[in-house]
Every structure is written in structure tokens, then in C-alpha cells.
Amino acid sequence: MNFTQRLRQNDLLLGTMLTLPSPELAEMISSCGYDWLFMDGEHGNLSTLDWQRMLQAVAGRSAAIIRVATNSEREIKKILDIGADGIIAPQVNTADEARHVVACCKYPPQGIRGVGLARAQGYGRNFADYMKTANVSIAVIIQAEHIDAVNNIEEIVEVDGIDAVFIGPYDLSASMGLIGQVDHPEVVEAIDRVGRACQQRDISLGYFGTTAESVQAYASKGYHLICAGTDAGFVLGGAQQTLDKLRE
């Protein structure tokens, strides 16, 4: 059973975030047994070729889901063509924006994704098989990370083709004038509103935290797409811990 099938049946999927242009780090972290990797193409400076090298290093050990830099047709097409298992679309604030993202991920007649030959299609060798399965196997995950998305969430979740909604707590708090205050009651209520809307539509919910402890409450609430920690955080944390022990 692939990642998208597991996502649609609400399995608990545990992941972490990759932000650094290092195939070696991606290879090491994927060998740990994470269900999925949140590859952040929105904030980093990685190129499409960098992401392809990362995907090759992961080699299918973990599902590779790339957050695209923009929700443009061109950007989404390129990321899917290099072989990502799905995308995370940032800053989806309306139902129309959600419909656009879904359409960009689907080949006609369900969508508008352009047809090309690249790594995802085996450079042509697996073209026919890929075309038969891509529309159902690619994970389409949108982010609710702005108060506008919260205010429109009941309409957003009615859009066909959304596999999960991923909360962006830090950007959400910033859009509410409460930057970084992810535990503020108003931010928590906004997140809970998204949660209620998704659960009513049986759409999986995702949440990111910098530590395992920060996401446990959301896993206990029924969130299924959990992401904790970052590659940079692991390196910094391990290095600092070792130095601190040496200084004792």
C-alpha cells in the first residue's frame, strides 16, 4: 500500500522535514524508517535538480512529499515529473485556489497537468503505467496557514481531490498578529476549526512541530500526518549536545 492510500485511510504517518541540499542527509534520515519526508521547497534555495538528487538518495525508503515554492502549474508539474510522491501546496486560502492546486496535480480530463517524459515516468520506459496510476497515486496536500484559510475552510474542504490539510501553525499565528504564539487560545481555536471541518469531511489532518513533544497533542486529537523536527535541527542539536558534554 502506497503513501497516498495510507493517507486516505487515515493511517498514522510519521515524518520529519528536510531543508538542506544534502542527498547524504536525506539518505541517512530515510534509512531511519520515517513513513514520509516533508521536503521544504518553499523556504530553501534548492533547485529542481537538487530535489531530484534528494529523491534519488531516498530511493523509496520513505515517501517524499515536496512543498512547492509556488502553487503555479509550472512549479507543480516540474516537482511531480522528477518523481515526488506528492506535493504540499502553501498558502491555500480559498476554494478556488484549492481547485487550482488539485487540477495542476491531475492529468486531463481530471486536471491540467502537462504530459512529459522525466524521472517520474521512467524517462519514458514506464510512461503508460505511470499515466494509468498517477491521478490516484499522487498525494495532494494543501496548507491552512493563514486566517483567511481558516475563515474559508468549510468551502475549501468541499473541493474534490484534496487528500490532506496540513496546518502551518507559525504562519497562521503570524497572520493573526500573534507571531510564534502557536499555543495562544485564539490560534488554537483557529486550528481546531480547521480540524473540525476536515474531520467532518474525513480528510486527513497534518501538523508540524519542532519536537516530538510539540506534536503529541495533535496526534492524540486524531491528526494522522505528523511531522516533527528538521534535518538542520538534528545536526545542530546533536552537535550542541556533544559539545556541552565535552565541556562538563
Side-chain angles (χ1 to χ4, degrees), residues 151-224:
N151 290 333
N152 293 319
I153 193 63
E154 288 81 12
E155 292 77 30
I156 291 172
V157 297
E158 292 295 325
V159 175
D160 289 335
I162 297 172
D163 295 308
V165 173
F166 200 93
I167 303 292
Y170 291 94
D171 279 337
L172 175 58
S173 68
S175 76
M176 299 173 69
L178 299 164
I179 189 167
Q181 299 179 56
V182 297
D183 295 322
H184 190 284
E186 292 180 26
V187 178
V188 172
E189 172 52 32
I191 292 171
D192 286 346
R193 178 175 171 182
V194 175
R196 290 190 297 270
C198 290
Q199 288 168 342
Q200 288 172 2
R201 288 281 292 158
D202 197 29
I203 294 175
S204 287
L205 282 156
Y207 190 85
F208 167 78
T210 55
T211 65
E213 292 77 15
S214 66
V215 301
Q216 286 172 344
Y218 288 91
S220 68
K221 289 181 180 180
Y223 284 55
H224 297 98

Side-chain angles (χ1 to χ4, degrees), residues 110-126:
Q110 289 93 339
I112 59 173
R113 181 181 172 187
V115 179
L117 297 179
R119 180 174 179 268
Q121 301 87 5
Y123 304 100
R125 181 186 296 272
N126 305 323

